[in-house]
Each structure stands twice: as C-alpha cells, then as structure tokens.
Amino acid sequence: MHRIKCPFCGERDESEYVYQGDASVSHPPLDASVSDFYRYVYVRDNPKGWHREWWHHVGGCRMWVQVARNTLTHEIYATALAGETLDFPEDA
Amino acid sequence: MRYSVFSLLSQGLRGNRGWQPVWRQPSPKSQYDIIIIGGGGHGLATAYYLAKLHKRTDIAVLEKGWLGGGNVGRNTTIIRSNYMLPPNTYFYEHSMKLWEGLEQDLNFNTMVSQRGVLNLFHSDIQRDAFARRGNAMRLAGVDAELLDAKQVKQLIPVIDIDNARFPIEGGLFQPRGGTARHDAVAWGYARGANALGVDIIQNCEVTGLDIENGSVRGVHTNQGDIRAERVGIAVAGHTSVLAQMANIELPVESHVLQAFVSEGIKPLLDTVVTFGAGHFYASQSDKGGLVFGGDLDRYNSYAQRGNLPTAQNVLTEAVAVMPAVARLRLLRQWGGIMDMSFDGSPFICKTPVEGLYLNGGWCYGGFKATPASGWCFAHTIANNEAHDLNAHFTIDRFERGNVIDEKGAGPFPWEQ
Ligand SMILES: Cc1cc2nc3c(=O)[nH]c(=O)nc-3n(C[C@H](O)[C@H](O)[C@H](O)COP(=O)(O)OP(=O)(O)OC[C@H]3O[C@@H](n4cnc5c(N)ncnc54)[C@H](O)[C@@H]3O)c2cc1C
Ligand SMILES: [Zn+2]
C-alpha cells in the first residue's frame, strides 16, 4: 500500500487517490507542430526508477498532488502541490 | 526425443531415467544472424517460426532471467479472438487457429482447452455493444453467440444472474476460446526452437545496443558483446528500457497486473467467464483452483508485485459474480509487468533503426497472441517487411491518427 502525503491533508492511503499519470509532460504552445502534440499526448519516458506523477486526491481535498515515486521499489520521495517545485532525487 | 504414448510407456517401464533435458544450455557465440532479446512466449515463438518457416537457424534468444520467468509464466492463461476492430480481429483469429494446431506442431502438450469464453453484459446498452462486436467477429469468420440470461445460467449455474446492483442480462460467448498451460507454451516453443538449432541463452541480460550509422550491429550483454545484423526486441514489460537504448520514443508505460489462485475445489466453472460491470475474469484450473484477475494497479510500476486496494477490488468482483466463492481461501497471488500501449494494441514492426525490430505493447492480452505474434514477428524479421496481419501494428500509427483503440479508452494506458 502506498501512503501518499497530501500537502493539505497529510499522509493518506493510495485508495483515496486517483492516479493521473506522468507529471513531467507539459502542454505545447497552441501553434506547435503535430509531432510536438503527438509527443505530449503519447510519448512517455516510462522510467524504471524515479518518476514524477500526478495523484488526484479525490477522496480528500480534491487537489492534484505531484509525487516523486520510484516505479521499482514503490518508495515515495516527496510530494508537492501543482505549481510548486517537487523535490526529486539527484541520481534520477 | 519425440513425445508419444509409447515414449511415455517405455520411459515409465524404465523408471523414468531416460528423459533428456529439452534444450541445450549453450554459451553465446560472438556472432549470430539474428538475435531475439527476451525469452518469454513471444521471443521463443519468434525464434521457432524463424527456424521452422523461414529456414533461419543461426539465431540466439537472450533471456536475462530464466526461461518463462516473465509474463508468459504469470498470466491467467486465457486465449480468445473476440475483437471488433479489423486489425485485431484477423490477427487474434490467426493466433486462435495456430493454438488449435499447436500441440501437434510442437509435439508438446500445451493443454489448449477450448472451454469457451463468456463475456457477461449487464444493461441494454452493453448488450448492443457486445452484439455489434459479435457481428463484427462473425463477419470475419470468428465464432460468436449472443446468449440471454437464461442461457447464461444454464451454461454457468454458479453465476448470480440476479445480482441486485448489476443484474446479468446475457453474454457474448466464443466457444472456441479457452485456456492453455502457460509454462508449457514457453517450454514447447523453446524445445522446438532448440531442436531446429536455435541457441537459447539464459541469465544473459542485454545492457546496450550497438548501433552504427542508423543500423544495428549487435548487442552488449553481461556475457559479452554479440554481433548480429538483425535484432528483435520482445521484452514485454521492459519494452521502454530497450527502446531507450536505441533512442526510440514509444507510447508505452509499464504497469503491474496481479493474478490470484484459490485453494483447489471440485469442478465449479468449466468455461472462462468475465464480469462486464467491472473488470474481472476467471477460470478453473485442472488442479481445481480458481484462477482470476481484474484491473491493473493503476500506477506506473516495474515491481512484480501489486498492492491491496486492487486485490480487494478484484475479490469483491469475484463475489459479485459468484457469491458461492466468498468463503474460499486464496492460495497464491503475484504480479507481472505489462507493456501498456496508449491504444491497447501492440507493436510488431520495424523501427527507425535499420535491422532493429520491435515486438511489444501487449497490455493484458499478449498470452493469447503468442503464436501469431511469433509468427508475424518472424515474418517481419526474415523479410524486413510486415505481413498483412501485422501491418497496422506500427509505432507511427499514433502520429498518423490511426490508433487501434478497441475500448475507446483514449490515451491513458492504465485505462486500456
Ligand atoms: C497477471 C497477468 C495476467 C495476464 N493474463 C493474460 C491472459 O489471461 N490472457 C492473455 O492473453 N494475456 C495475459 N497477460 C498478458 C501476457 O502474459 C503478456 O502480454 C505476454 O506474456 C507478454 O509476452 P512474453 O510472453 O514474451 O513476455 P515475458 O514472458 O515477460 O517475456 C519477456 C522476457 O524478456 C526478458 N527481458 C527483459 N529485459 C531483458 C533484457 N534487457 N535482456 C534480456 N532479456 C530481457 C524478461 O526477463 C522476460 O523473460 C497477463 C499478464 C499478467 C502480468
Ligand atoms: Zn488532500
């Protein structure tokens, strides 16, 4: 069981959250090329190790939380609100 | 040695002391014509069909762990060809036909059991969608029957068709679907490939790809460098890891899927049944255990274990379909890493690197695909060109807008 620390609500079970995917991708400018949009919608690094991701605290305050989590060990390094800087392990 | 009733009898009479190992344990040579990375079902089937149908025998299959330790030995063994979109319908039906002749072809008991696959539906709208899929299947020559609730109850008496929340209105039945013994599929293909001269090398992890001027030249491994003009990737959950070695960007995420087996019980369920109001599928093994699974864990993962919320969800669904199983005990539970593509459909294709071929993106359904996947991948590697059956399974289909999204789930791999 993951325990994810929501910046508002504190540490909560993963079952209160809904996973929302890779948080490292960002929307390209509206006049960007088709291939930029393709990469935004579809291409993912899918790392074996540290991963920035969104978890939506649906069963709590409903905020979107950024999480630095290890996809191999399921260890959680840090969390942050959307728009904040997320602490991320240096070796990643 | 050819397996038959006579070999079984004669070995039995001699105390079973004459059985031979079914594949060699060679050290890698410094060079091969073709290297297949990944000794799962797909890699082994590819090597087998390359040797058998395309007469290429200077082949190595490199497996980082032990043969069959990946998803081929972790799945819930369901085989079926009940797809609606043409690229899938024809590909999976080709696979089903290969399953039907596989044991004779391999001279190995893969325990293919065509016990039928029943997809339950719970509303009028779902019935219409299933009827549409059934019609698409029949148009393509695949067997499909739409059953009403009474027929469902007759087929599987243990099902609770009057479930208060999700009453069962009927089901889409594919009689030719069923199960196969997953380990035996890996062993059978390995034995067949080995007999045709393929080197199967275990504990050999590919750590890098040797690429010069856009063409593949070989691989780096923990057992040294090996050269080859053609290299096929068939590593399932590690597809992105290998693609990164060649700087290829992919619409793939790795996610963990759990499976469960109950204690053994008397015969209860003689077909495969799936619950349409959630995501749940179950069958009963020959040993008597109920084998079942549901959704993946819904977060990126390379850990071959899942978490309890998903387990609880799957078990709740089991009880919703078959209340009688509520007091059964679980015997085992495990996880496997699946290569989830962004439209739920696979890749069997060339890559931007000359001589490098990709097989991946198998999501929940790669076991049933094993024979056709190996067959098409072998064709693609041998001819440097896709077969009609896998011509749609390319990487660039996403950028061209030609996704094959059977579920209409959109670009969220954990929803596929
Ligand atoms: C729990 C679960 C249930 C499933 N149920 C079903 C089902 O009922 N029906 C169905 O059709 N499908 C099912 N699937 C999907 C199916 O099992 C997979 O899609 C399919 O097995 C993947 O192909 P494979 O057999 O080649 O994979 P694998 O057996 O995983 O083979 C890939 C191999 O590549 C090796 N490898 C990885 N990296 C390297 C490297 N760097 N160097 C060398 N080797 C490497 C791995 O060790 C592994 O052995 C299920 C999957 C899971 C996890
Ligand atoms: Zn919160």
Side-chain angles (χ1 to χ4, degrees):
Chain A
M1 175 79 83
H2 293 93
R3 288 260 175 94
I4 301 169
K5 192 171 162 219
C6 170
F8 284 125
C9 313
E11 198 169 65
R12 298 299 177 95
D13 282 355
E14 78 179 66
S15 46
E16 287 189 12
Y17 293 82
V18 169
Y19 185 64
Q20 299 285 7
D22 190 332
S24 69
V25 287
S26 52
H27 199 292
L30 288 179
D31 57 357
S33 65
V34 169
S35 92
D36 287 339
F37 273 94
Y38 156 70
R39 299 185 69 244
Y40 163 63
V41 177
Y42 292 112
V43 173
R44 298 292 179 267
D45 289 342
N46 190 24
K48 183 177 180 174
W50 293 105
H51 190 224
R52 287 170 202 270
E53 51 199 30
W54 292 113
W55 290 76
H56 186 188
H57 197 189
V58 171
C61 63
R62 303 191 63 81
M63 291 303 280
W64 282 50
V65 180
Q66 289 186 76
V67 180
R69 193 182 59 95
N70 192 303
T71 61
L72 189 58
T73 62
H74 293 175
E75 184 189 344
I76 291 171
Y77 184 80
T79 59
L81 283 181
E84 283 181 3
T85 314
L86 177 70
D87 279 343
F88 205 69
E90 275 180 16
D91 57 2
Chain B
M1 182 194 293
R2 224 194 120 67
Y3 295 155
S4 65
V5 166
F6 304 105
S7 69
L8 201 61
L9 274 178
S10 69
Q11 288 298 334
L13 291 173
R14 280 183 269 146
N16 284 313
R17 278 188 292 264
W19 297 110
Q20 297 296 318
V22 295
W23 56 81
R24 296 163 294 125
Q25 311 251 13
S27 314
K29 297 192 295 181
S30 60
Q31 187 166 352
Y32 289 90
D33 281 351
I34 302 172
I35 287 177
I36 305 295
I37 309 172
H42 294 213
L44 293 165
T46 305
Y48 173 73
Y49 291 116
L50 271 170
K52 175 156 190 214
L53 303 178
H54 304 280
K55 311 293 173 214
R56 310 293 289 256
T57 50
D58 190 26
I59 304 174
V61 176
L62 309 181
E63 165 54 49
K64 75 169 174 182
W66 71 95
L67 200 150
N71 290 351
V72 69
R74 292 169 185 267
N75 61 70
T76 41
T77 78
I78 300 166
I79 61 175
R80 55 186 173 88
S81 57
N82 52 3
Y83 285 76
M84 186 177 77
L85 301 179
N88 286 335
T89 321
Y90 290 100
F91 171 79
Y92 285 104
E93 177 58 12
H94 183 61
S95 211
M96 186 53 82
K97 289 193 173 125
L98 290 170
W99 282 115
E100 287 172 331
L102 192 66
E103 293 165 346
Q104 287 68 28
D105 185 26
L106 293 177
N107 176 234
F108 200 86
N109 186 3
T110 51
M111 293 168 70
V112 173
S113 160
Q114 294 182 292
R115 58 183 70 183
V117 172
L118 178 67
N119 299 152
L120 299 173
F121 54 78
H122 309 262
S123 66
D124 293 355
I125 288 177
Q126 201 171 26
R127 181 200 53 224
D128 292 352
F130 281 25
R132 180 179 173 217
R133 176 157 55 93
N135 285 333
M137 290 163 61
R138 293 178 74 124
L139 280 173
V142 184
D143 58 323
E145 291 168 26
L146 202 65
L147 308 185
D148 62 21
K150 229 176 98 197
Q151 291 167 305
V152 165
K153 189 73 186 167
Q154 259 164 13
L155 191 67
I156 312 180
V158 69
I159 284 187
D160 176 22
I161 57 168
D162 299 321
N163 180 303
R165 179 69 182 83
F166 300 111
I168 288 162
E169 288 198 7
L172 182 64
F173 189 48
Q174 185 185 19
R176 283 162 64 245
T179 58
R181 169 83 200 275
H182 50 6
D183 305 303
V185 173
W187 300 332
Y189 274 120
R191 173 172 171 266
N194 174 79
L196 294 168
V198 172
D199 280 1
I200 298 167
I201 299 159
Q202 302 180 72
N203 300 311
C204 182
E205 177 168 3
V206 171
T207 52
L209 295 170
D210 188 4
I211 295 167
E212 263 173 47
N213 302 326
S215 300
V216 77
R217 293 275 170 262
V219 301
H220 306 296
T221 80
N222 60 351
Q223 297 194 28
D225 294 351
I226 311 174
R227 293 179 70 81
E229 296 291 306
R230 295 187 184 191
V231 175
I233 299 174
V235 293
H238 282 74
T239 299
S240 298
V241 176
L242 267 291
Q244 267 151 28
M245 295 178 191
N247 287 320
I248 296 171
E249 296 180 326
L250 282 185
V252 168
E253 281 184 2
S254 298
H255 287 260
V256 57
L257 176 65
Q258 305 186 46
F260 307 83
V261 174
S262 78
E263 60 189 319
I265 49 172
K266 288 183 179 169
L268 180 78
L269 183 62
D270 62 358
T271 137
V272 179
V273 66
T274 75
F275 182 51
H279 192 190
F280 172 79
Y281 35 92
S283 66
Q284 188 169 16
S285 79
D286 293 350
K287 280 192 279 184
L290 292 180
V291 181
F292 55 92
D295 268 327
L296 45 70
D297 263 43
R298 287 171 180 272
Y299 45 78
N300 289 46
S301 179
Y302 282 88
Q304 285 178 325
R305 61 188 159 79
N307 273 312
L308 281 175
T310 304
Q312 189 178 26
N313 191 29
V314 173
L315 297 171
T316 308
E317 290 180 289
V319 176
V321 192
M322 302 176 284
V325 306
R327 299 184 63 185
L328 276 186
R329 281 164 299 187
L330 265 191
L331 202 59
R332 291 186 290 134
Q333 170 271 1
W334 63 90
I337 304 306
M338 299 197 303
D339 36 339
M340 299 299 299
S341 70
F342 276 56
D343 62 356
S345 297
F347 303 102
I348 308 177
C349 57
K350 301 180 11 172
T351 70
V353 177
E354 190 61 36
L356 184 67
Y357 305 86
L358 176 68
N359 176 312
W362 288 105
C363 304
Y364 289 78
F367 177 64
K368 68 174 108 65
T370 306
S373 165
W375 194 95
C376 289
F377 201 37
H379 179 101
T380 306
I381 296 174
N383 299 304
N384 193 29
E385 193 178 36
H387 189 273
D388 281 351
L389 284 168
N390 63 305
H392 291 86
F393 299 143
T394 60
I395 304 173
D396 69 353
R397 68 174 182 264
F398 292 89
E399 196 164 350
R400 287 188 290 110
N402 293 342
V403 292
I404 311 167
D405 190 345
E406 190 82 27
K407 279 173 77 178
F412 309 101
W414 60 92
E415 302 286 357
Q416 285 293 347

